[in-house]
C-alpha cells in the first residue's frame, strides 16, 4: 500500500555537525510528520583547530539546478524552505529554479553572512538575496541582525522597533501576489525576560513571547523555526498557527538542547511532541 504524506522541500546548506542547516531542516520535517526532500547549496564544515570558524564550499550551480530538477520532477512539491545560499551565483540559480514553477509557499530564512566569507562577498550576497529571492518569498523569518540589515535600521532594541522592522521588510515583498508574512525574531539578543517574535501579515502585528530559556544562543534555532513553519504549511496549517507550532518546537528544542563541544549547544527537534 502506498501512502501520501505531506511533502516538505528544503533548499539549504549542509552544516556538518548536524546542529544547523539541512540536517536540522530534515529532522524538523520528520518530527512534524512531513516527508522531507532536500537540495544542497553549500557545505559548511566548522574548523575545530581555528576557533570553529566556517569552512565554506559552494555547490556548483549546475549541480544545484540538477538537484531541483530531480526533486521537482519526482514529487508535486508546492511548499519550500530556502535556507543558506551563500554566493550570488547560488542565489541566481535558486531564484531561476523557484521561478520555474508555482509555489503555494516559499519560506525564506534570509541567512546573510557566513563567517567563512569575505565581507565583500557577503555584501553581494545580501544584495542578490534582497533582489532575487525576497520577492519570491511568502514567509520570511529574519533574526535581529537580518531584520536590521533588510529593514535598513541602525539598531533594534525594543519590540516596537522589531515590529517596525517587520513592516519595512514587508514593504520589500512582492505584495502583488497575495498576502505575505514577515516573522522578525528577537531571540536572546533583544533585551528583556522573553524571547519575542513579531508576525506581520501586512495588516496586523502579532507578538509571540515566551520566557527566555537562558541567555545563550543555541545553534539550529533559526533553521528549525523556518523548517517547522514549512512542514506545517505543507500539512495545510495556516501561517499564524504554523508560526506558533514553530515557536513551541524551538522553545522545547532549546530546553532539551544537545550538549556540544562547539561554542553553542544545538536544538533537539526530537523533544517536541506537539
Ligand atoms: O544557522 C545558520 C546556518 C544555516 N545553514 C548552514 C549553516 C548555518 C550556520 O552555521 O552552516 C549550512
Amino acid at each position: 500500500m502506498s501512502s501520501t504524506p505531506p511533502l516538505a522541500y528544503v533548499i539549504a546548506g549542509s552544516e556538518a555537525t548536524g546542529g544547523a542547516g539541512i540536517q536540522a531542516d530534515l529532522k524538523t520535517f520528520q518530527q512534524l510528520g512531513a516527508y522531507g526532500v532536500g537540495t544542497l547549496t553549500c557545505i559548511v564544515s566548522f574548523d575545530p583547530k581555528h576557533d570553529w570558524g566556517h569552512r565554506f564550499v559552494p555547490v556548483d550551480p549546475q549541480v544545484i539546478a540538477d538537484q531541483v530538477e530531480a526533486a521537482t520532477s519526482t514529487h508535486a512539491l508546492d511548499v519550500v524552505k530556502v535556507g543558506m545560499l551563500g554566493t550570488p551565483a547560488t542565489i541566481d540559480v535558486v531564484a531561476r529554479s523557484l521561478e520555474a514553477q508555482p509555489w503555494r509557499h516559499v519560506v525564506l530564512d534570509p541567512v546573510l553572512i557566513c563567517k567563512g566569507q569575505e565581507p565583500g562577498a557577503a555584501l553581494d550576497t545580501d544584495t542578490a538575496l534582497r533582489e532575487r529571492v525576497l520577492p519570491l518569498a511568502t514567509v520570511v523569518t529574519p533574526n535581529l541582525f537580518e531584520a536590521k540589515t533588510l529593514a535598513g535600521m541602525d539598531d533594534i532594541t525594543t519590540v516596537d522597533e522589531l515590529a517596525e522592522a517587520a513592516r519595512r521588510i514587508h514593504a520589500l515583498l512582492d505584495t502583488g501576489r497575495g498576502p505575505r508574512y514577515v516573522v522578525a525574531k528577537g531571540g536572546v539578543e533583544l533585551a528583556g525576560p522573553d524571547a519575542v517574535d513579531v508576525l506581520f501579515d501586512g495588516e496586523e502585528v502579532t507578538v509571540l513571547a515566551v520566557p527566555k530559556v537562558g541567555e545563550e544562543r543555541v545553534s539550529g534555532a533559526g533553521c528549525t523555526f523556518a523548517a517547522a513553519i514549512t512542514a506545517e504549511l505543507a500539512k495545510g496549517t495556516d501561517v499564524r498557527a504554523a508560526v506558533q507550532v514553530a515557536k513551541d518546537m524551538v522553545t522545547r528544542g532549546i530546553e532539551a538542547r544537545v550538549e556540544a563541544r562547539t561554542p553553542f549547544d544545538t536544538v533537539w527537534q526530537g523533544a517536541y511532541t506537539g
Side-chain angles (χ1 to χ4, degrees), residues 1-166:
M1 274 274 282
S2 62
S3 64
T4 50
L7 302 169
Y9 184 30
V10 56
I11 301 175
S14 166
E15 192 277 86
T17 72
I22 205 163
Q23 288 84 346
D25 296 323
L26 292 173
K27 281 180 263 191
T28 302
F29 290 172
Q30 184 75 13
Q31 190 66 16
L32 291 174
Y35 178 95
V37 178
T39 285
L40 211 61
T41 56
C42 61
I43 300 172
V44 172
S45 315
F46 296 159
D47 184 352
K49 295 194 197 70
H50 294 95
D51 205 16
W52 303 97
H54 287 39
R55 292 177 290 201
F56 171 86
V57 178
V59 172
D60 183 273
Q62 185 57 50
V63 179
I64 297 173
D66 292 349
Q67 294 175 76
V68 176
E69 184 186 26
T72 55
S73 303
T74 302
H75 299 291
L77 303 172
D78 68 351
V79 177
V80 59
K81 172 189 159 171
V82 179
M84 186 190 250
L85 299 176
T87 73
T90 305
I91 288 168
D92 182 58
V93 70
V94 168
R96 278 190 285 115
S97 298
L98 290 175
E99 282 161 357
Q101 70 155 77
W103 298 94
R104 187 159 56 85
H105 278 291
V106 175
V107 179
L108 173 64
D109 186 11
V111 180
L112 285 184
I113 321 184
C114 171
K115 285 177 196 127
Q117 287 182 277
E118 298 296 318
L123 195 65
D124 284 1
T125 303
D126 180 1
T127 307
L129 193 77
R130 192 192 293 264
E131 287 179 359
R132 301 282 277 118
V133 186
L134 199 61
L136 305 173
T138 57
V139 183
V140 58
T141 62
N143 64 22
L144 206 62
F145 169 75
E146 292 153 355
K148 273 191 277 194
T149 308
L150 291 172
M153 291 167 69
D154 289 337
D155 212 359
I156 295 174
T157 57
T158 65
V159 175
D160 283 348
E161 286 170 0
L162 194 62
E164 174 58 21

Side-chain angles (χ1 to χ4, degrees), residues 235-246:
K235 288 156 68 176
T237 309
D238 68 42
V239 172
R240 192 170 296 276
V243 170
Q244 186 64 58
V245 169

